[in-house]
């Protein structure tokens, strides 16, 4: 099964907000793999990190992505780090992957650096910057389309993605 669009990008890039809007525009369902992970684990992502560790979270996340790609033909939003798993990268090959690129200042403003982001607890601004730099080459390699989200409204971004999607 092929999704209409698979949104990837760092925390604060707008994957959930834009994903819902894009799904509405395309007349399809929206699915967020972080929500899928929480449903399977029975607890929030932040609790999974604290209680079970990042490795367990990444296993759950990969399984959620695998299942979503097999079952869902709408718009799919992946957690910011989902692309780190090599098998997930393979699964994304041939999918309409859209990389939502965001600058550090906008990401910090959108994320708010709240405690719900487990990887951003200590020195959040510096950690977010490092995560973004580490993951950027993977995002860029997987994407069939890159959309810069800085200082732009979700409606404008959704229009751009709809026009640029294959098929």
């Amino acid at each position: 099964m092929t999704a209409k669009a698979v949104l990837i990008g760092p925390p604060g890039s707008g994957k959930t907000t834009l994903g819902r809007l894009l799904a509405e525009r395309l007349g399809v369902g929206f699915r967020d793999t972080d929500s899928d992970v929480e449903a399977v684990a029975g607890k929030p992502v932040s609790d999974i990190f604290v209680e079970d560790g990042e490795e367990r979270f990444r296993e759950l996340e990969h399984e959620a992505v695998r299942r979503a790609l097999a079952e869902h033909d709408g718009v799919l939003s992946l957690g910011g780090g989902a692309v780190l798993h090599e098998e997930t990268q393979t699964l994304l090959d041939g999918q309409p992957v859209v990389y939502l690129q965001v600058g550090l200042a906008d990401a910090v403003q959108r994320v708010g650096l709240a405690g719900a982001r487990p990887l951003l607890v200590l020195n959040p601004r510096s950690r977010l910057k490092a995560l973004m730099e580490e993951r950027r080459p993977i995002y860029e390699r997987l994407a069939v389309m890159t959309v810069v989200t800085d200082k732009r409204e979700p409606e404008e971004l959704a229009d751009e993605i709809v026009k640029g999607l294959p098929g």
Side-chain angles (χ1 to χ4, degrees):
M1 188 170 289
T2 301
K4 296 284 187 231
V6 180
L7 305 181
I8 62 171
S13 60
K15 295 180 301 288
T16 302
T17 300
L18 193 52
R20 287 192 176 110
L21 183 59
L22 190 57
E24 186 180 299
R25 294 260 170 99
L26 295 171
V28 297
F30 171 73
R31 187 164 173 176
D32 183 323
T33 58
D34 279 350
S35 296
D36 291 353
V37 168
E38 291 178 343
V40 168
K43 53 187 163 186
V45 167
S46 56
D47 289 355
I48 299 168
F49 266 83
V50 171
E51 296 168 15
D52 307 319
E54 182 177 359
E55 187 176 333
R56 176 65 181 142
F57 170 75
R58 295 297 175 204
E59 291 169 11
L60 292 168
E61 181 177 54
H62 170 67
E63 182 55 27
V65 172
R66 187 195 63 72
R67 220 175 21 257
L69 287 170
E71 301 169 357
H72 187 71
D73 62 357
V75 175
L76 182 61
S77 170
L78 306 190
V83 298
L84 298 175
H85 197 289
E86 284 187 35
E87 289 177 43
T88 297
Q89 293 176 28
T90 301
L91 291 172
L92 291 173
D93 189 38
Q95 295 284 340
V97 177
V98 180
Y99 166 34
L100 302 181
Q101 187 177 55
V102 62
L104 181 62
D106 278 40
V108 165
Q109 186 177 17
R110 292 176 190 170
V111 170
L113 302 180
R117 307 283 181 154
L119 289 179
L120 303 180
V121 173
L122 301 173
N123 196 349
R125 187 180 179 92
S126 172
R127 186 67 185 125
L128 180 58
K129 182 177 190 280
L131 285 175
M132 290 170 70
E133 288 173 359
E134 169 192 329
R135 296 171 181 174
R136 182 177 297 117
I138 299 170
Y139 293 143
E140 289 174 346
R141 180 171 47 80
L142 294 173
V144 296
M145 177 192 315
T146 297
V147 177
V148 178
T149 66
D150 292 350
K151 310 281 184 263
R152 297 176 69 196
E153 292 300 317
E155 293 77 13
E156 175 190 357
L157 295 166
D159 288 344
E160 182 176 330
I161 294 169
V162 168
K163 287 177 190 160
L165 284 174

